[in-house]
Amino acid sequence: MPGLPAARRTVLKGAALAGAAGLGAAACSTESKLGHAKNPTPTAPVALGAASEVPVGGAKLYREARLVVSCPAKGEYKAFSAQCTHGGCVLTKIEGTEGHCPCHGSRFDTTTGEVIEGPATVPLPAVPVTAEGGNLVAGPDA
Ligand code: FES
């Protein structure tokens, strides 16, 4: 921008960055508009399929159901909301027992729900889960 004083150029550059940050926030609130933030846990039982799909010592993400199930020991299952407690984005990746939020980088322990790394500060809400007949069911009456 020839002709503008250096200070003016800096202000404009800062405004452009603020605009980009604003877009990021809008993406998160779009997730929230999908109902994620209002209802982070299922209101009715959700069938998740074969319990054997959850690796012992690991976890499996059920992104459509917005749930993550971990299996700390054979036959033992723990389920949590997969909706990040920071801004409502749904986790997209599991590495071992760590759940990763794509929006701002929060990481959660899928065996406890606890935050490993922020900006989230609140654990993932626990969801009751059972494995009857080898199939997982998660939700309020599970
Ligand atoms: S929504 Fe911000 S880290 Fe998950």
Side-chain angles (χ1 to χ4, degrees):
M1 284 178 228
L4 282 178
R8 176 82 175 130
R9 281 197 298 268
T10 304
V11 168
L12 290 175
K13 188 175 171 188
L17 288 175
L23 286 177
C28 267
S29 57
T30 299
E31 285 273 336
S32 297
K33 282 179 192 154
L34 297 174
H36 297 171
K38 284 186 183 161
N39 246 335
T41 57
T43 54
V46 180
L48 297 175
S52 59
E53 289 182 10
V54 183
V56 177
K60 178 173 169 60
L61 181 63
Y62 298 87
R63 200 156 191 275
E64 293 221 338
R66 288 182 278 137
L67 292 169
V68 59
V69 178
S70 62
C71 179
K74 191 171 171 49
E76 184 185 327
Y77 299 96
K78 294 187 175 188
F80 298 90
S81 164
Q83 182 180 312
C84 180
T85 56
H86 176 239
C89 296
V90 178
L91 307 184
T92 52
K93 190 168 71 168
I94 303 289
E95 280 181 2
T97 56
E98 276 187 24
H100 295 246
C101 178
C103 290
H104 312 102
S106 288
R107 293 183 294 126
F108 298 88
D109 183 333
T110 61
T111 64
T112 63
E114 294 294 326
V115 175
I116 296 171
E117 186 172 311
T121 57
V122 176
L124 298 173
V127 176
V129 63
T130 58
E132 284 179 29
N135 289 312
L136 292 173
V137 177
D141 299 323

